[in-house]
Amino acid sequence: MLNFRFIMEHIRNHPIVSTISIFVGMGLVSEVIWKTVEYFRDKREKASRVHEVLIFNELGEICASHHLRECYPKTLEFHCQNKYCTTKNTGKIVEQFDRAVYSIDLAIYTFTSMTISEALKRALHRGVNIRIISDGEMVYSCGSQIIVLSELGIPVRVPTTTHIMHNKYCVIDGAERVEEIRQAKKRKWMRPCHSIAITGSVNWTRQGFGGNWENCVITADEKISSMLQAEFDRMWRAFAKSETK
Ligand SMILES: [Zn+2]
């Protein structure tokens, strides 16, 4: 105790020692700040490195009854030994929607999944700009969530010809779209975000996720996102006359 007092007195009274102490203190504080910044940067970079292939098949539903009382995606501690688990696979798609910061552009042939619809509603509530392109007939199919989302104010466009819009993809926070939003809002800077593309054979339906043999790729590859975003933008302009709100 005496030694501690003696040291403190010495630091206070000795200009060189007190100056060194201030520098050491500043060094420690800046180290803590730097480590905190690194932690959040690593977390964001980890999320931006996602490259995943989801496989849907006849084995996806064998564990479904075990998940009935669970509440994924609200809990991040969801685990299932079944690598084809429909609940887990769907949750991975939902996870990306829940990370969306500025935009979700969705081109989907059939969309009846309530789980994904709820994720889009949450994104809409956060202020994410959502646009949907679908097929002229399938948009009105039984259980279509596109109609539900359209009634909430999400703009929907469909082809104006008899050819079908058979795409099943979406781009989340596409770089070009985020830049467009930045310019429209006349902002100097935007919050950090990264482009994610979700694409594959699967329609976002109960049958598509739970029994069909399908695939879905989730990727942070910027080139893939950019190319899909460009086609989305081209279709969006081409289908302008069909917009429903
Ligand atoms: Zn499972």
Side-chain angles (χ1 to χ4, degrees):
M1 195 67 185
L2 280 171
N3 284 343
F4 180 72
R5 262 189 209 160
F6 173 77
I7 292 167
M8 291 308 291
E9 284 293 320
H10 199 68
I11 288 172
R12 264 199 291 271
N13 298 331
H14 200 294
I16 295 173
V17 175
S18 61
T19 306
I20 290 170
S21 303
I22 288 168
F23 276 107
V24 169
M26 284 170 68
L28 285 172
V29 170
S30 63
E31 182 71 11
V32 170
I33 293 170
W34 179 244
K35 289 287 175 195
T36 308
V37 169
E38 266 190 333
Y39 170 77
F40 285 106
R41 192 184 60 193
D42 289 350
K43 202 175 168 187
R44 198 170 64 236
E45 280 181 359
K46 192 181 171 192
S48 73
R49 286 194 295 266
V50 61
H51 296 290
E52 200 156 14
V53 180
L54 310 180
I55 301 293
F56 296 89
N57 59 28
E58 78 282 13
L59 303 173
E61 294 279 282
I62 57 174
C63 50
S65 60
H66 296 296
H67 303 316
L68 285 176
R69 277 173 289 177
E70 293 168 1
C71 55
Y72 192 82
K74 286 178 185 171
T75 170
L76 294 173
E77 281 77 40
F78 180 88
H79 293 293
C80 180
Q81 295 301 316
N82 179 8
K83 66 176 179 176
Y84 305 112
C85 175
T86 295
T87 309
K88 186 166 61 180
N89 279 349
T90 313
K92 285 180 179 177
I93 296 172
V94 166
E95 195 177 310
Q96 297 304 324
F97 285 128
D98 283 341
R99 282 187 179 145
V101 180
Y102 288 110
S103 68
I104 296 173
D105 282 336
L106 170 59
I108 189 80
Y109 181 63
T110 318
F111 177 12
T112 62
S113 166
M114 297 280 286
T115 308
I116 293 185
S117 183
E118 288 302 316
L120 286 173
K121 286 177 195 170
R122 286 195 293 276
L124 186 68
H125 188 68
R126 293 197 305 275
V128 175
N129 288 268
I130 305 174
R131 302 184 293 182
I132 298 177
I133 292 174
S134 189
D135 182 70
E137 283 189 24
M138 296 312 289
V139 76
Y140 298 108
S141 63
C142 182
S144 171
Q145 288 300 305
I146 296 170
I147 297 299
V148 175
L149 295 168
S150 171
E151 285 169 357
L152 293 176
I154 295 177
V156 177
R157 294 184 182 181
V158 297
T160 49
T161 69
T162 54
H163 294 286
I164 63 173
M165 202 303 298
H166 207 234
N167 280 307
K168 296 107 180 172
Y169 76 79
C170 81
V171 182
I172 298 168
D173 292 326
E176 298 81 358
R177 177 66 176 146
V178 172
E179 173 59 17
E180 195 176 75
I181 292 167
R182 187 192 69 76
Q183 287 182 12
K185 292 188 174 182
K186 295 178 180 169
R187 287 191 186 169
K188 285 188 177 174
W189 64 276
M190 300 289 263
R191 281 170 56 195
C193 58
H194 53 265
S195 305
I196 294 286
I198 302 175
T199 185
S201 67
V202 67
N203 272 304
W204 296 355
T205 63
R206 185 176 176 80
Q207 192 178 339
F209 290 138
N212 282 2
W213 289 266
E214 310 272 8
N215 73 82
C216 181
V217 175
I218 303 175
T219 178
D221 186 292
E222 290 177 2
K223 194 172 179 183
I224 292 174
S225 291
S226 179
M227 291 172 84
L228 291 174
Q229 182 72 64
E231 175 57 6
F232 185 96
D233 292 343
R234 195 198 63 77
M235 286 191 290
W236 190 254
R237 289 190 296 272
F239 304 160
K241 285 182 184 171
S242 68
E243 181 162 329
T244 57
K245 265 193 174 178

